[in-house]
């Protein structure tokens, strides 16, 4: 298990208290937006190189791509080094399956609770409870509707890899060690230790195309070679604890010392001038992106289209 965030100090502090000892990683997308904002050259080339570097499965691939990044802009390499390679690079991560996101609802919650945040605290919490109740039940029904050994997402990936593995040549060294030839490249697969020289098998704990080729050569199924976290049973366990509904407020059994407690609003010395911030602070990419403008085909006016144009000639 690990936690991924945008490196906000409040999140780092909170997760260290709630999840002590759990590794904390940095979101590669937020790091990229910071790179674009801080360093003004070579964005087109850096974009492809940076994301390829984060997804590298071997140290050789990582070092080669980092060298190219340094050639483009040495400041970017220094910036990434200061963050810590282990916080954003797959091959340097201290835990496996760091790219397998089990919970990524932060952005969704921000959107769906935008209007609800204007409610009173109790109503806001009840709204969020109802929302999570609906989501949990929806995910559970989807998991129950899965009829494969692995979850639908990972089963699809395995099937795609198995199709690609048909083109590879395999020679067995022992019962567990195989050499897989992919074009001009040669990979060593050890099924006993669940490793492949490409790095994907051991880091994702999901069979890569080379391991599937070795299993095809052995005429063996792949169910026992993947992490149990990818199975349908694990998916069902994830959502087996329901978000329970609440009784009507009039039916609550509130202790006397709670009902007698008086909670006053916070005292502020001076309210900040202007309207309170409701919209999120936009990232560099959002500010620089070209916005699509609707224009009219009749005379080129902006803000409406041909159908809603008020100046269009009337049909006789």
């Amino acid at each position: 298990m690990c936690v991924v965030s945008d490196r906000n100090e409040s999140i780092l502090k909170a997760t260290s208290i709630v999840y002590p000892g759990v590794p904390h990683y940095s979101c590669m997308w937020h790091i990229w937006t910071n790179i674009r904002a801080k360093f003004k050259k070579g964005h087109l080339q850096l974009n492809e190189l940076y994301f390829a570097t984060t997804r590298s499965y071997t140290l050789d691939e990582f070092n080669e791509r980092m060298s190219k990044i340094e050639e483009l802009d040495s400041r970017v390499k220094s910036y990434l080094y200061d963050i810590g390679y282990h916080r954003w690079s797959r091959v340097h991560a201290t835990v496996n399956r760091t790219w397998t996101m089990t919970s990524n609802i932060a952005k969704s919650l921000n959107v769906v609770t935008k209007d609800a945040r204007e409610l009173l605290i109790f109503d806001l919490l009840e709204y969020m409870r109802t929302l999570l109740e609906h989501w949990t039940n929806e995910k559970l029904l989807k998991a129950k509707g899965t009829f494969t050994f692995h979850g639908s997402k990972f089963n699809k990936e395995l099937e795609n890899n198995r199709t690609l593995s048909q083109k590879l040549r395999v020679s067995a060294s022992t019962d567990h060690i195989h050499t897989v030839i992919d074009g001009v490249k040669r990979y060593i697969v050890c099924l006993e230790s669940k490793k492949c020289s490409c790095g994907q098998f051991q880091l994702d704990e999901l069979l890569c195309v080379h391991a599937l080729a070795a299993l095809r050569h052995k005429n063996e199924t792949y169910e026992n070679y993947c992490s149990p976290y990818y199975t349908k049973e694990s998916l069902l366990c994830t959502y087996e604890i329901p978000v329970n509904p609440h009784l009507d407020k009039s039916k609550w059994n509130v202790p006397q010392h709670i009902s007698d407690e008086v909670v006053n609003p916070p005292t502020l010395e001076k309210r900040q001038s202007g309207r309170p911030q409701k919209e999120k602070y936009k990232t560099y990419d959002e500010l620089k992106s070209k916005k699509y403008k609707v224009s009219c085909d009749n005379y080129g006016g902006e803000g409406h289209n041909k159908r809603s144009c008020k100046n269009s000639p009337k049909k006789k």
Side-chain angles (χ1 to χ4, degrees), residues 239-253:
Y239 302 104
E240 68 177 356
I241 301 177
V243 179
N244 294 318
H246 279 169
L247 290 171
D248 185 75
K249 192 175 180 180
S250 61
K251 304 291 184 181
W252 289 5
N253 183 17

Side-chain angles (χ1 to χ4, degrees), residues 3-21:
V3 178
V4 181
S5 75
D6 60 357
R7 299 170 59 224
N8 186 287
E9 291 185 5
S10 61
I11 299 177
L12 293 171
K13 182 178 179 180
T15 52
S16 65
I17 297 172
V18 179
Y19 301 107

Side-chain angles (χ1 to χ4, degrees), residues 146-151 155 222-228 230-234:
T146 302
F147 299 101
T148 54
F149 183 77
H150 295 95
N155 186 73
Y222 57 72
E223 283 79 4
N224 297 326
Y225 289 92
C226 299
S227 170
Y230 294 125
T231 62
K232 174 188 173 181
E233 293 302 320
S234 295

Side-chain angles (χ1 to χ4, degrees), residues 24-36:
H24 199 120
Y25 296 101
S26 302
C27 173
M28 63 178 182
W29 174 253
H30 285 90
I31 292 176
W32 169 243
T33 57
N34 291 340
I35 290 173
R36 291 201 60 170

